[in-house]
Amino acid sequence: MVAISEKVQPRLTIQTVEIAPNTTAIRSLDWDRDRFDIEFGLQNGTTYNSYLIRGEQTVLIDTSHQKFRHLYLETLKGIVNPKTIDYIIVSHTEPDHSGLVEDVLQLAPRATVLASKVALQFLEGLVHDPFSKRIVKSGDRIDIGKGHEIEFVSAPNLHWPDTIFSFDRQTQILYTCDAFGMHFCDNRTFDEDLEAIEADFRFYYDCLMGPNARSLLNAMKRMGELGKIKIIANGHGPLLHHNLDLLTECYQNWSQKQAIAETVVGLFYVSEYGYSDRLAMAISEGIQKAGVGVEVIDLNTAELQEIQELAGRASGIIIGMPPTTSIAAQAGMSSLLSVAKNKQVVGLFECYGGDDEPIDTLRRKFIDLGVKEGFPAIRIKEVPSASTYQLCGEAGTDLGQLIMRERNIKQIKSLDVNMEKALGRISSGLYIVTAKKGDMSGAMIASWVTQASLQPLGFTIAVAKDRAIDNLLQLGDRFVLNVLEEGNYQDLKKHFLKRLHPGADRFAGVKTQTAKNGSPILTDALAYMECEVVTSMECSDHWILYCTVEDGRVSKPDGITAVRHRKVGNYY
């Protein structure tokens, strides 16, 4: 007899703790969460940490995940009258930290949102009513009375380009959002049990912070200029206090080792000009998919020596066109060109700021130096849309893949020949995954697909981390799995294997129909299934997605699924 298990509701609780005078931590404890988005599996749940500071004015730092909506808002109302909140600091805009900003603004209509420019641009798309806002960056301060002066520190790429830290000089608490966090759920507010948390602390660093080691070192340098820090109030897990010096030293040491071996791209642009921040963020995310680190420099504020140092050691250079009126940016680009090498790759993008430096002039200078283009120059002729940002992400991935290609070839050649031949004898079918979300669409050929469950009907599919379609295959996303037919798949295979310029229509010239879930169905496929991504598992350089089937049809009942036979296991 088969036991049927009931669906168990996850345990969600709220903890409020006075961590310093006039300072309350509001911690949303997610005891049973076993996966964080599509990033990595969790062993010990997680928390979403928010903070309230009450001087003569009241500041709320970050909120919580949507799943805590009722619990969090009722807790907040029990601590403070929301109408008295003067400022909401948004450290960065991932939904686990900003998911309730719109709800809080409805309760606190006179509050001003403080965030980086790129964070505010994202929030404008998430919050449907107008709200008061102010851009903050390194060195900016607000004085809320009773000695509480809060200074801001720009901390891009930790782990999003929109991140800021906030430092309360009165309590000497540094609010860092994702940095120095960990996915560890426990009733203990602080880090007194080092043995219990150290494995999760390291794992979190390796997954989220390590890929941007140099950005982390830059942020820690700015932290050092703040003076004594008593508590690091992070966004996930226990706050750092008892072992603060030891754990920050770990971050320093790990990042220094990582930075030495890291392959990086230098991303140079003028922040807060046109749409430069969001465009740069999209390109940066695409680059990181390919396993390449990104270091960002503002051409308007950086020292020439700093620009040359990064441009000289980076494997790739990406430049957002600055305004023609910026003398500092012009000098920065001249110094950058003086150290560019023909072994590097370059990518250029317009910022739609109304006064962009001509892209073709700079492009010609790089070509004359023998520098290869990592992607065609991105020209922005109208207000960027979702498809524009998809184009930028794909361009970044293309450039990252180009940089990593030589290293990957060396790794493949180092594999044991007999082992790779044996692995290659595992055969599989041939499929094409198609997906559409809003203005964004994508497709990829897949062969690592296998049925995984009967009730419900489900299968797994392996997706390389550097696939552009990854953005359309997040948890809860829907797509179509098209089954190719033996003897009738070469045209489709040839079309979807073709490398296209970023932003090109992947479905141009292909007959399609629209599925119920909005994704394209390939008319010439043997069969199709409408599917939903339910969960995922990280496997080195791939994600394994478990998907359920919601609908499907076979166009040729007598047709046979195309089979992919390989001779070696080190490529598809």
Side-chain angles (χ1 to χ4, degrees):
M1 183 176 180
V2 178
I4 300 175
S5 59
E6 296 182 7
K7 185 175 181 180
V8 179
Q9 290 296 320
R11 293 175 295 160
L12 306 176
T13 60
I14 293 276
Q15 177 197 69
T16 59
V17 181
E18 294 295 313
I19 59 173
N22 308 315
T23 307
T24 304
I26 309 171
R27 302 178 69 233
S28 303
L29 278 65
D30 193 347
W31 294 90
D32 301 314
R33 186 163 186 175
D34 60 1
R35 179 148 299 278
F36 198 76
D37 296 330
I38 198 168
E39 289 162 347
F40 48 85
L42 308 184
Q43 299 296 321
N44 297 303
T46 193
T47 73
Y48 315 96
N49 302 336
S50 172
Y51 303 94
L52 191 72
I53 306 172
R54 283 166 288 190
E56 293 167 8
Q57 295 177 301
T58 301
V59 175
L60 180 67
I61 300 179
D62 298 322
T63 60
S64 186
H65 196 287
Q66 271 285 347
K67 67 172 71 175
F68 282 90
R69 183 176 183 274
H70 177 74
L71 274 173
Y72 179 86
L73 295 176
E74 289 303 308
T75 300
L76 182 65
K77 287 187 284 188
I79 298 172
V80 66
N81 179 355
K83 292 181 179 179
T84 66
I85 296 175
D86 297 279
Y87 298 105
I88 302 171
I89 295 174
V90 176
S91 303
H92 94 127
T93 50
E94 256 189 320
D96 52 316
H97 303 290
S98 65
L100 300 177
V101 168
E102 183 173 24
D103 296 282
V104 173
L105 281 171
Q106 290 175 354
L107 299 174
R110 71 184 187 89
T112 297
V113 176
L114 306 176
S116 67
K117 181 182 179 181
V118 67
L120 289 176
Q121 288 175 337
F122 272 102
L123 281 175
E124 286 167 357
L126 298 173
V127 178
H128 298 97
D129 294 318
F131 61 95
S132 174
K133 53 188 175 292
R134 185 195 306 173
I135 297 168
V136 293
K137 55 186 181 300
S138 285
D140 290 347
R141 301 183 183 193
I142 58 169
D143 188 339
I144 64 169
K146 297 184 181 180
H148 295 281
E149 184 182 51
I150 298 173
E151 180 174 344
F152 298 97
V153 176
S154 297
N157 302 317
L158 300 180
H159 63 119
W160 278 20
D162 63 351
T163 302
I164 57 169
F165 295 169
S166 309
F167 182 61
D168 185 348
R169 293 195 167 276
Q170 169 77 356
T171 58
Q172 297 177 309
I173 298 176
L174 179 67
Y175 300 90
T176 61
C177 200
D178 280 329
F180 303 99
M182 68 204 84
H183 290 307
F184 186 91
C185 187
D186 191 89
N187 279 320
R188 289 169 290 192
T189 305
F190 292 101
D191 59 336
E192 57 259 40
D193 191 346
L194 180 61
E195 185 177 352
I197 65 172
E198 58 185 348
D200 291 283
F201 185 75
R202 178 61 195 259
F203 184 55
Y204 182 96
Y205 171 88
D206 288 340
C207 291
L208 284 188
M209 298 294 132
N212 294 292
R214 289 188 183 272
S215 295
L216 187 52
L217 290 172
N218 290 335
M220 293 187 74
K221 181 179 178 181
R222 297 189 188 103
M223 285 168 53
E225 297 168 357
L226 296 172
K228 175 69 175 176
I229 297 171
K230 289 184 178 179
I231 295 173
I232 289 182
N234 50 32
H236 297 291
L239 285 62
L240 307 191
H241 174 55
H242 301 285
N243 295 284
L244 186 148
D245 291 340
L246 174 63
L247 293 174
T248 52
E249 184 181 355
C250 286
Y251 255 48
Q252 185 82 24
N253 293 337
W254 296 336
S255 298
Q256 286 173 341
K257 291 178 182 177
Q258 182 85 4
I260 292 171
E262 188 179 38
T263 301
V264 298
V265 165
L267 180 51
F268 304 86
Y269 71 102
V270 172
S271 182
E272 302 179 17
Y273 169 65
Y275 291 81
S276 62
D277 295 279
R278 284 197 66 181
L279 295 165
M281 181 175 178
I283 294 171
S284 176
E285 288 181 341
I287 293 168
Q288 290 175 72
K289 277 187 182 180
V292 177
V294 180
E295 291 184 44
V296 179
I297 282 185
D298 188 331
L299 289 168
N300 245 0
T301 59
E303 299 288 338
L304 295 183
Q305 184 179 359
E306 184 183 2
I307 293 171
Q308 287 188 320
E309 191 277 329
L310 175 56
R313 64 176 165 81
S315 299
I317 294 171
I318 294 179
I319 301 175
M321 293 299 101
T324 59
T325 53
S326 173
I327 296 173
Q330 301 297 326
M333 288 200 299
S334 295
S335 66
L336 187 158
L337 282 163
S338 70
V339 297
K341 302 182 288 288
N342 59 14
K343 290 185 178 180
Q344 294 172 312
V345 293
V346 67
L348 307 175
F349 67 97
E350 293 178 339
C351 298
Y352 199 64
D355 185 34
D356 288 17
E357 183 74 18
I359 204 166
D360 290 318
T361 304
L362 185 59
R363 177 176 175 269
R364 173 51 56 188
K365 290 179 180 178
F366 277 106
I367 291 173
D368 291 344
L369 290 170
V371 181
K372 294 184 295 185
E373 281 189 292
F375 55 78
I378 298 174
R379 304 170 192 272
I380 311 295
K381 302 304 179 187
E382 57 187 6
V383 174
S385 63
S387 59
T388 310
Y389 296 120
Q390 181 187 12
L391 180 156
C392 290
E394 291 174 359
T397 300
D398 281 356
L399 185 138
Q401 289 174 336
L402 184 62
I403 289 172
M404 295 298 286
R405 190 169 297 155
E406 185 176 340
R407 193 191 77 171
N408 292 339
I409 290 171
K410 289 180 181 177
Q411 289 179 342
I412 289 171
K413 288 181 177 178
S414 68
L415 293 174
D416 178 84
V417 174
N418 291 321
M419 179 179 69
E420 66 186 35
K421 286 183 177 179
L423 184 63
R425 292 310 190 266
I426 298 176
S427 59
S428 53
L430 276 175
Y431 312 87
I432 296 176
V433 174
T434 53
K436 182 175 176 61
K437 187 193 297 184
D439 293 335
M440 300 186 296
S441 62
M444 75 166 197
I445 290 186
S447 58
W448 296 356
V449 178
T450 186
Q451 187 166 346
S453 64
L454 294 171
Q455 295 183 352
L457 291 173
F459 62 92
T460 61
I461 178 171
V463 181
K465 288 183 176 179
D466 61 0
R467 290 279 193 175
I469 200 174
D470 171 67
N471 288 335
L472 303 176
L473 298 177
Q474 303 292 302
L475 299 187
D477 285 345
R478 288 175 164 81
F479 66 95
V480 167
L481 182 69
N482 299 272
V483 183
L484 299 188
E485 181 186 8
E486 185 65 43
N488 186 34
Y489 65 85
Q490 291 296 343
D491 288 344
L492 285 174
K493 179 183 175 184
K494 182 178 179 181
H495 177 87
F496 286 100
L497 280 178
K498 192 186 308 177
R499 290 189 70 88
L500 301 178
H501 289 319
D505 182 2
R506 175 55 76 180
F507 298 97
V510 176
K511 290 184 286 186
T512 64
Q513 305 169 50
T514 302
K516 294 175 185 175
N517 65 20
S519 298
I521 299 169
L522 302 181
T523 304
D524 292 333
L526 171 64
Y528 77 91
M529 286 156 275
E530 297 191 36
C531 317
E532 179 182 358
V533 181
V534 174
T535 188
S536 64
M537 179 176 70
E538 185 179 17
C539 292
S540 181
D541 49 9
H542 283 69
W543 297 112
I544 303 298
L545 307 183
Y546 170 68
C547 313
T548 54
V549 178
E550 300 172 329
D551 196 6
R553 295 287 186 276
V554 178
S555 62
K556 298 180 182 178
D558 297 329
I560 300 173
T561 302
V563 178
R564 167 70 170 151
H565 294 287
R566 301 181 300 163
K567 291 186 178 180
V568 292
N570 57 20
Y571 62 86
Y572 294 112

